[in-house]
Amino acid sequence: MHDGSFTSASVTDRLAALFDAGSENMLSADSGLRLIAAKIGSRQVLAAATDPALDKGVLGTAECTDLRRIVRLALETKRPLVLLIDSAGARLDEGLAIQGALRGLMTELLDASLAGLPMIALLGRNVFGGASMLAFAASKRCYAPGTLLAMSGPRVLESAGGGSLTTVRTSIGGLSRCRHGDAECLLDDTLPAYAAALHQWVKRLPTRPLPDTLDHERHLLGMRLGKTNPPATAYIVSSPETGSLSVSGRASIGAADALKFATMVDATQAPMDLYIDCVGHSLHMADETLILSQYLVHLARTLRRHAHRGQQLRLRIAGEISGGIYIATAGAASSVDIAPGGSVRTLPQASLNSILTRPDAAISNASADFAHYVELGVADTVSALS
């Protein structure tokens, strides 16, 4: 094994460096992902890797389908799952179809996490959007100093007033992320360093499913939030007696909102109706500095844990929802209903304007024919709210 940079290496070289020589068995894939079965010492593992050389490793509907398939295989065969993630995020030119695909993938990942499936995310150079949520569905993350990890990409954050591009990159880079500790692990940017970290992780895995760490994570996220105390911007109202929880105010959901939302969900044990009307996830640097993706996935895990315990969680969309908050809530809910007047978007329009250069692409990604929501997996039913 040579000592080259992990984040600069090809996906082929990354995979070759990580597993026992000659143990790799390539699995069929219908997307740009590499899917393999391999060994680390005496332990059989499965792995999925994005290829940053193919359109920046973006996740489209085909990639989501392949990821769902390997997550299921890992659960069925009780093999740890290794995720090599180097991706600019969702394939936005697929429109709302990618939201439905990411919703299904998030459901699969949340169920696997709650079932105790060991998952580790080895992060490359860029991990944005839906890819960052995929990383936080794993029980551990490893990255290099130069890894960029955020819910929104650097140029979107810069356009939203996050400071210069250099300042933004520093704030979402590996050196900043590792300060939060716990499941975050900073490595030297070499193939041997990543291989050693993976081997140690596998070696220390218990023979039983991993325990539920959600409550411990809630404590850590609350402490992190308390150090900067960013304001909650969404109007969140809970009625434990009736089991309804509404999020409104046309706000962008930030870290404080997501944690408050999760805490209020845990206070309600009855079947729950979630009424969501918000622009999407926050684009503010104050939230990204805290690792917004982790707060959104924590909310999703909280919701899904209630569903696993038999509590019905119905997401009712009568207003606007987009981006990470849609993926988190729709992926975790027992069912999703969209009413006339409801709207699901790929991203907040401000983000699309920063990312998409073709005006027609921005428009096509902003909305979809209402009749196709169920077909695309974005909602389960289209109806009037009772």
Side-chain angles (χ1 to χ4, degrees):
M1 182 193 305
H2 58 81
D3 295 340
S5 162
F6 180 88
T7 61
S8 298
S10 68
V11 65
T12 300
D13 288 342
R14 292 176 185 179
L15 290 169
L18 294 174
F19 306 108
D20 293 355
S23 72
E24 304 99 323
N25 177 28
M26 297 298 298
L27 306 178
S28 63
D30 296 318
S31 70
L33 292 181
R34 301 286 186 92
L35 306 179
I36 71 168
K39 289 182 69 174
I40 296 177
S42 60
R43 194 76 179 258
Q44 294 279 352
V45 302
L46 293 170
T50 63
D51 187 349
L54 298 176
D55 202 10
K56 299 181 181 179
V58 293
L59 300 175
T61 55
E63 283 76 14
C64 289
T65 298
D66 276 340
L67 282 166
R68 293 181 69 176
R69 185 158 56 85
I70 201 163
V71 170
R72 289 193 207 107
L73 181 61
L75 272 175
E76 291 166 2
T77 59
K78 295 181 171 57
R79 281 182 278 182
L81 181 58
V82 183
L83 301 171
L84 282 74
I85 309 173
D86 197 332
S87 169
R91 186 180 295 280
L92 295 177
D93 58 8
E94 291 190 357
L96 274 187
I98 188 57
Q99 287 295 84
L102 286 169
R103 174 200 172 193
L105 174 58
M106 181 54 62
T107 302
E108 212 83 55
L109 288 165
L110 293 172
D111 288 345
S113 173
L114 290 167
L117 175 68
M119 291 185 283
I120 185 171
L122 305 180
L123 308 185
R125 183 167 293 176
N126 299 311
V127 184
F128 304 136
S132 74
M133 297 182 76
L134 172 62
F136 280 98
S139 50
K140 188 176 183 64
R141 284 155 299 285
C142 298
Y143 40 77
T147 297
L148 299 180
L149 169 64
M151 194 64 226
S152 301
R155 296 196 180 278
V156 172
L157 294 170
E158 179 192 27
S159 299
S164 69
L165 196 57
T166 299
T167 298
V168 169
R169 287 178 176 274
T170 299
S171 298
I172 64 174
L175 289 173
S176 296
R177 295 327 199 187
C178 74
R179 294 174 188 149
H180 296 302
D182 197 38
E184 312 309 307
C185 180
L186 184 70
L187 304 175
D188 291 336
D189 188 6
T190 65
L191 292 166
Y194 273 78
L198 177 59
H199 282 233
Q200 282 297 312
W201 178 76
V202 169
K203 183 179 179 181
R204 294 172 181 171
L205 283 176
T207 55
R208 298 178 179 178
L210 295 181
D212 182 359
T213 60
L214 188 62
D215 296 328
H216 174 64
E217 183 180 66
R218 175 84 50 83
H219 173 70
L220 294 178
L221 292 180
M223 290 181 60
R224 187 189 307 173
L225 197 67
K227 293 178 181 178
T228 57
N229 200 29
T233 59
Y235 185 57
I236 307 177
V237 179
S238 174
S239 176
E241 299 80 13
T242 61
S244 68
L245 194 155
S246 63
V247 181
S248 59
R250 301 286 298 165
S252 297
I253 300 296
D257 300 300
L259 198 62
K260 179 181 178 181
F261 194 166
T263 302
M264 294 172 80
V265 166
D266 264 352
T268 306
Q269 302 305 318
M272 193 180 306
D273 287 310
L274 307 174
Y275 297 90
I276 308 289
D277 180 7
C278 61
V279 174
H281 59 262
S282 172
L283 304 180
H284 296 150
M285 277 308 304
D287 291 304
E288 282 293 4
T289 299
L290 293 166
I291 315 184
L292 178 58
S293 308
Q294 187 172 15
Y295 284 82
L296 291 172
V297 174
H298 178 83
L299 169 60
R301 289 179 63 203
T302 300
L303 288 164
R304 195 64 183 172
R305 185 168 70 172
H306 280 260
H308 269 230
R309 292 173 176 174
Q311 183 177 354
Q312 285 296 308
L313 300 174
R314 297 176 291 266
L315 175 60
R316 309 291 188 115
I317 303 171
E320 183 177 338
I321 189 171
S322 70
I325 188 61
Y326 166 79
I327 296 168
T329 54
S334 307
S335 62
V336 178
D337 180 90
I338 186 162
S343 172
V344 179
R345 298 171 181 267
T346 52
L347 286 173
Q349 192 60 47
S351 296
L352 284 173
N353 292 342
S354 298
I355 297 171
L356 301 170
T357 55
R358 293 188 299 116
D360 60 324
I363 293 170
S364 67
N365 275 287
S367 61
D369 190 311
F370 203 72
H372 295 312
Y373 275 83
V374 174
E375 176 188 337
L376 296 173
V378 175
D380 300 304
T381 56
V382 177
S383 67
L385 293 176
S386 58

